Amino acid sequence: MKLPHDNMIEISFRLNGKPVSLQINPWDSALAVLRDNLGLTGTKEGCGIGECGACTILVDGLAVDSCLMLGAQLEGRDVETIEGLGTGEILHPIQEKFLSHGAVQCGFCTPGMIMSAKSLLEGNAKADKKDIVEALSGNLCRCTGYVQIVEAVEDAAKEISEATESGRNRS
Ligand code: FES
Ligand code: FES
């Protein structure tokens, strides 16, 4: 992080696999930096106080509420947002399962749910229903009733775990 200039600070970090550097206001949240400075509006702002999980991103692989982090705290970190998953044509397995299970209604909670699920499955591809419910407990959804979301993540866990096993068996 460089010294303040006109009240701005410069931060550098990895964002969805690519290095970025930018000037930010020191008081801006990580959520504001992503949405307003970098134009990545896939990460949503719901409550703004750490209650809803709509703003979930991964920082060094861990799911965090970006509304509760300062942008300055992203310095030197490895940050992933929903924009880093899939390409629009090729979806991440968790995104595919959300679609096939009808786990998306208004979609506002979906990016945060998917990022929390990604963090869980990267640490534990054999996660069971209890693990999934616990990992998603900080993500609120006002539309679906959660059943389809949990089923989608269970199905994604199965697919990712089988793919990992078959990769191991081939090597
Ligand atoms: S917007 Fe961050 S937890 Fe709700
Ligand atoms: S799909 Fe609408 S809040 Fe979850």
Side-chain angles (χ1 to χ4, degrees):
M1 203 180 313
K2 292 192 179 157
L3 287 174
H5 173 67
D6 291 339
N7 289 330
M8 302 287 274
I9 55 172
E10 184 172 322
I11 57 168
S12 302
F13 57 99
R14 282 186 79 74
L15 178 58
N16 296 328
K18 295 188 183 137
V20 292
S21 292
L22 73 160
Q23 302 255 330
I24 63 166
N25 288 315
W27 53 83
D28 278 346
S29 68
L31 176 62
V33 168
L34 292 169
R35 286 182 58 87
D36 303 336
N37 296 51
L38 292 163
L40 297 184
T41 55
T43 304
K44 302 303 181 197
E45 178 163 17
C47 64
I49 54 168
E51 297 286 346
C52 73
C55 64
T56 304
I57 59 171
L58 304 194
V59 177
D60 295 338
L62 294 178
V64 300
D65 291 333
S66 59
C67 69
L68 294 184
M69 255 187 114
L70 284 171
Q73 291 176 292
L74 298 178
E75 170 70 24
R77 315 293 284 275
D78 192 11
V79 177
E80 287 176 77
T81 68
I82 192 69
E83 287 87 354
L85 274 70
T87 60
E89 284 168 12
I90 302 171
L91 297 178
H92 186 281
I94 302 172
Q95 292 173 311
E96 278 178 4
K97 299 301 181 189
F98 266 63
L99 284 180
S100 63
H101 283 266
V104 181
Q105 287 188 28
C106 81
F108 195 82
C109 70
T110 309
M113 288 280 184
I114 288 176
M115 297 314 286
S116 290
K118 183 172 190 279
S119 175
L120 170 69
L121 300 188
E122 281 180 352
N124 175 17
K126 291 187 187 300
D128 62 15
K129 187 171 182 175
K130 187 170 160 288
D131 300 323
I132 292 166
V133 169
E134 192 176 314
L136 298 183
S137 61
N139 293 81
L140 304 185
C141 175
R142 64 189 172 184
C143 306
T144 63
Y146 301 98
V147 173
Q148 301 98 317
I149 290 174
V150 172
E151 285 174 355
V153 180
E154 278 184 288
D155 206 4
K158 193 163 160 260
E159 184 175 309
I160 292 168
S161 155
E162 283 171 2
T164 309
E165 284 298 317
S166 82
R168 266 200 210 113
N169 292 341
R170 273 202 299 275
S171 59

